[in-house]
Amino acid sequence: MTDVLHPAVPPRAGLPTEVRLAIAEIAGAPGAWCPSLAPTGDRVAYVSDRSGLPRLEVATLDQQLPPAVLSGSGEEVVSVAWSPDGAWLAYLVSPGGSICAQLWAVRPDGTDRHLVAGEDPRATVFAGGWTAAPGHYVCSIASGDGPDADVVLVDVVSGARRTLASGGFLSVTAVAADERTVLARRGPRGHRHVVLVDVATGVQRRLLPLGAPGWQASEDGRFAPDGGAVYLRAALPGLPDVPRSDRTGLVRVPLGEGRVPGPGEVLISRPDADLDAYAVRGDGTVLCVWNADGVTELEVRDLDGRLRHAVPLPQPVMPGWSLSADGGTLLAELTGPARPRSLWWVPVDGPAPQAPLPSTPRPPDPHLLVTPVRLRYPAADGTGLDGWLYTPPGVTGPNRTVVSFHGGPEGQERPDFSPVAQSLVAAGLTVFAPNVRGSGGHGRAFTAADDLGAREASFADVPATVDHLVAADIALPGRLGAHGWSYGGYLTLVALTRWPDLFAAGASLAGMSDLRTFFAGTEPWMAAASVTEYGDPVADRELLADLSPMTALHRLTAPVLLAHGDRDTNVPVLESVQAHQELTALGAPAELLLLRGEGHTVVGRGNQLALSERVAEWFDRWL
């Protein structure tokens, strides 16, 4: 961790000891995520940061023995998948926090651990999945010297590789049992669609035609068991004059002679929720994972859409899961305001009790945490917005308040575990986490409502949010702060420069300061994928300049904390460094906090603690 201070910034007074101890327990709470059940159903592989760094662990379900650590020393593990024959575990590693991930393989007993793909430091491996053939794993690999990513089949035993599909950025979602056909998602942000690729000829066919008033986007293609159709999640055509009717549902596309896609048919949808994930079970029912106003709802439905039953969950958000071979039990990754990501047994069809796995790390003291409430409010143009309000215990009137913007911008504030938000609350600050337009979980049109020049409308949601908080006697005028990570850090800088008197302080974590230098410095595939979101770095250069806070930093008057991982190749660390240099030259109060060894996401326990405490101290000092 490296600090760069500005002479105009007064020395930190520090937080009270009891607050620092509370933040240490909150931000230091370990978690477990990305479960993958063994085919035999008696063990589970997952990622846990109980050691201070995310690592690969394997545990028996009865936890008679301590979990075994199978990843190498210092490896920052991202995800894991157990092979269908139980012989291998494939896992992704982020080397030194970089977004350029590597693929590794290891036996379940910890032997024969070796690098499979991603030895070139410029290359990025994207997780795929195991095929039906023993030892075959399929993934997507971006070479780093261009915008494309190929679908590559690797033999984890021999190391042999074979390119199955190329031509564009292809994120593999499924491979046919005969390995002659591939399903892959391609296209830039907001315009992704699933294509069917013939391996022999390289021909790509869209499964659903694009364009209004028809299909808009599709994800997660899977072959039906008989190979005669494809299931996929798709953004459904919106209804005229019905806001947010363009929800994501389950669609079936038949495959005709020569595996030519036929017309798509909507099987399952809900007008009030997006389908986040699904699994077609052996009995023909579908396990549906819905995002309903940020809360996960789990249902079992027939393929004709009829509801069989809902499955209750002990926590409100389920980011990941692994289904048992018989489809009867779910090993769920769950989180809530008072619970970091943890693993739970969730029976799908019966009344058996739900319980966390014994290997799940202990959560922080619940008395240190608060449960947010959802607020709805209008934007200046009447568009409906919402967000989650965290109020410190005992606070009943207007309070010092931090508005916290999520990343993406397609991300979504949900009632999950937020160490920074809870740390701010522990310091006595109210936190409001809004979903301004451009956020996910509200239909495709809402997500696309900030693309290109329309971003100005999303910017206008910021003062509308502040106006609501003040009018509702939640926030104190003149004592509001702006905070955000990634795109949220960018939006924080935008707010501080466009409305200098709106916020008394700001904190930008891994945020872009100049969209032009972001495009020049990020990974080539990331730049290509972001053109539809922000604009073309050549054709839209003037637009990017107008949307960049770097060109308006002279208007910023509030003190700002700029924090960044020094290994970030997604939003390069230059974005915070150059903003700090410019603010220093202008004589503005600013601090730069560089987190050593961290990438775009801060995962090291020490840095998590330092960041949470620094952000809480920053707003406590200035508000």
Side-chain angles (χ1 to χ4, degrees):
M1 183 178 65
T2 303
D3 277 303
V4 182
L5 306 179
H6 186 275
V9 177
R12 293 191 294 272
L15 296 166
T17 299
E18 62 271 18
V19 173
R20 293 179 65 248
L21 291 174
I23 292 174
E25 181 162 353
I26 293 168
W33 60 93
C34 193
S36 181
L37 277 167
T40 53
D42 60 340
R43 290 176 294 172
V44 59
Y46 56 92
V47 182
S48 174
D49 61 352
R50 76 177 85 233
S51 68
L53 192 71
R55 61 183 184 177
L56 168 59
E57 295 184 0
V58 171
T60 57
L61 296 182
D62 57 12
Q63 196 57 71
Q64 294 183 356
L65 297 173
V69 179
L70 302 192
S71 51
S73 175
E75 288 181 354
E76 182 181 316
V77 179
V78 178
S79 62
V80 60
W82 213 308
S83 65
D85 61 3
W88 290 96
L89 293 164
Y91 65 101
L92 286 188
V93 169
S94 173
S98 169
I99 199 173
C100 298
Q102 301 172 334
L103 177 66
W104 287 71
V106 65
R107 297 283 188 182
D109 63 1
T111 62
D112 202 9
R113 180 172 56 86
H114 61 281
L115 178 65
V116 175
E119 58 275 3
D120 186 335
R122 300 172 301 169
T124 305
V125 180
F126 300 89
W130 295 96
T131 74
H136 283 193
Y137 184 90
V138 65
C139 57
S140 296
I141 302 178
S143 64
D145 57 6
D148 293 351
D150 298 338
V151 177
V152 179
L153 182 71
V154 295
D155 187 314
V156 300
V157 178
S158 69
R161 302 183 194 179
R162 180 163 59 101
T163 299
L164 299 184
S166 60
F169 187 95
L170 300 173
S171 179
V172 62
T173 65
V175 176
D178 59 9
E179 298 183 356
R180 295 169 58 186
T181 314
V182 171
L183 295 176
R185 189 189 67 213
R186 65 168 298 165
R189 295 162 73 166
H191 298 271
R192 293 166 177 156
H193 56 278
V194 176
V195 295
L196 186 146
V197 187
D198 182 88
V199 173
T201 65
V203 172
Q204 300 182 15
R205 295 186 177 96
R206 288 179 175 174
L207 283 167
L208 295 173
L210 292 182
W215 308 105
Q216 302 298 309
S218 56
E219 312 245 358
D220 297 348
R222 320 263 183 90
F223 289 103
D226 61 3
V230 170
Y231 298 112
L232 67 159
R233 291 189 304 120
L236 309 180
L239 300 175
D241 303 321
V242 180
R244 304 184 188 180
S245 61
D246 54 340
R247 292 293 192 170
T248 300
L250 183 65
V251 174
R252 180 183 182 273
V253 177
L255 299 179
E257 185 177 353
R259 292 195 173 180
V260 175
E265 172 195 7
V266 178
L267 299 179
I268 299 173
S269 66
R270 279 177 51 173
D272 63 337
D274 286 314
L275 186 65
D276 266 356
Y278 68 95
V280 179
R281 302 196 298 173
D283 62 359
T285 60
V286 184
L287 189 64
C288 299
V289 182
W290 300 98
N291 177 348
D293 292 331
V295 175
T296 299
E297 294 183 3
L298 190 61
E299 294 178 342
V300 176
R301 289 180 177 257
D302 293 323
L303 277 170
D304 61 6
R306 287 181 295 179
L307 176 65
R308 288 274 186 106
H309 61 271
V311 181
L313 294 172
Q315 299 293 328
V317 180
M318 186 174 76
W321 47 284
S322 181
L323 192 61
S324 61
D326 62 4
T329 304
L330 198 70
L331 187 55
E333 170 197 332
L334 295 170
T335 179
R339 186 91 192 200
R341 290 179 292 178
S342 53
L343 307 183
W344 293 67
W345 267 126
V346 177
V348 175
D349 299 311
Q354 302 170 346
L357 292 191
S359 58
T360 294
R362 181 184 65 85
D365 183 350
H367 296 96
L368 301 175
L369 307 169
V370 299
T371 298
V373 296
R374 186 167 181 258
L375 294 185
R376 300 176 186 265
Y377 61 103
D381 62 359
T383 299
L385 304 176
D386 68 73
W388 295 89
L389 179 67
Y390 298 76
T391 304
V395 171
T396 57
N399 189 34
R400 302 179 300 164
T401 299
V402 176
V403 182
S404 180
F405 302 107
H406 63 69
E410 309 95 331
Q412 182 187 11
E413 288 294 348
R414 307 180 70 174
D416 52 11
F417 184 69
S418 175
V420 172
Q422 297 284 2
S423 295
L424 288 166
V425 171
L429 298 155
T430 297
V431 176
F432 183 64
N435 287 306
V436 299
R437 72 191 75 195
S439 303
H442 298 78
R444 185 177 183 277
F446 188 85
T447 303
D450 66 341
D451 289 353
L452 306 176
R455 195 160 306 280
E456 296 286 351
S458 178
F459 292 166
D461 291 344
V462 175
T465 298
V466 171
D467 289 346
H468 174 75
L469 294 175
V470 172
D473 287 333
I474 294 170
L476 285 167
R479 301 185 75 183
L480 285 104
H483 159 269
W485 169 79
S486 192
Y487 180 85
Y490 160 79
L491 188 54
T492 293
L493 293 177
V494 168
L496 295 176
T497 54
R498 294 198 173 215
W499 301 280
D501 299 326
L502 196 62
F503 294 106
S508 171
L509 315 180
M512 301 95 75
S513 60
D514 192 324
L515 293 176
R516 298 165 299 180
T517 54
F518 161 73
F519 272 105
T522 190
E523 300 292 339
W525 53 267
M526 176 63 74
S530 301
V531 168
T532 50
E533 181 71 49
Y534 304 117
D536 186 277
V538 177
D540 300 316
R541 191 166 180 82
E542 290 187 9
L543 172 64
L544 296 181
D546 291 341
L547 296 175
S548 295
M550 192 72 184
T551 60
L553 284 182
H554 60 280
R555 300 188 60 202
L556 188 149
T557 59
V560 60
L561 171 67
L562 299 148
H564 221 116
D566 66 359
R567 297 292 301 273
D568 193 348
T569 61
N570 185 339
V571 175
V573 66
L574 171 67
E575 295 300 307
S576 289
V577 172
Q578 66 187 6
H580 180 259
Q581 290 175 338
E582 179 68 12
L583 289 170
T584 300
L586 293 170
E591 288 185 12
L592 175 64
L593 175 64
L594 298 181
L595 302 166
R596 294 178 181 172
E598 298 288 356
H600 194 56
T601 303
V602 179
V603 299
R605 180 67 44 72
N607 282 326
Q608 287 177 336
L609 291 170
L611 179 62
S612 296
E613 183 174 325
R614 177 63 63 84
V615 171
E617 183 278 330
W618 181 260
F619 287 112
D620 181 67
R621 185 192 345 171
W622 293 107
L623 301 186

